[in-house]
Amino acid sequence: MQMIENEESGTFSNHLFPVSKYQSERRSTKALGSLEAFNIGNNTFEKVDDNNNGAFLKAVLIHLLPSGDQ
C-alpha cells in the first residue's frame, strides 16, 4: 500500500506496508504498534514505530477487507 503526496498539505510515508500480513488485525481494538515495512528510499525492510501509519493501515484494511459483521 502506498499513497501519493498531497497537493495541498500533509505528508506521506516512504514505507510500503504488506496489507495481507496485517489483515487479521483489521478489527482489533489495540494499536498496531511497530510495523514491518519496506523502505522505498533505501530498499530495505525495517520496523516502523509510528502510530499514524498503524491507524491509517487499519482504516484501509477495514474498508478494503470488510467482514460480514458490520
Side-chain angles (χ1 to χ4, degrees):
M1 169 186 75
Q2 181 181 25
M3 301 301 289
I4 58 172
E5 183 175 5
N6 291 333
E7 292 180 9
E8 295 181 19
S9 66
T11 60
F12 65 103
S13 179
N14 267 350
H15 296 96
L16 301 177
F17 297 92
V19 172
S20 62
K21 180 175 181 165
Y22 298 104
Q23 68 182 347
S24 64
E25 301 296 322
R26 71 185 178 280
R27 294 289 179 203
S28 172
T29 57
K30 296 178 358 179
L32 292 179
S34 183
L35 300 170
E36 184 177 334
F38 181 76
N39 184 320
I40 59 176
N42 60 17
N43 293 322
T44 61
F45 283 94
E46 59 192 33
K47 291 285 185 178
V48 179
D49 293 312
D50 183 328
N51 287 335
N52 292 331
N53 287 327
F56 184 77
L57 178 56
K58 193 179 288 189
V60 168
L61 290 170
I62 288 169
H63 290 284
L64 283 179
L65 306 168
S67 63
D69 59 1
Q70 293 185 19

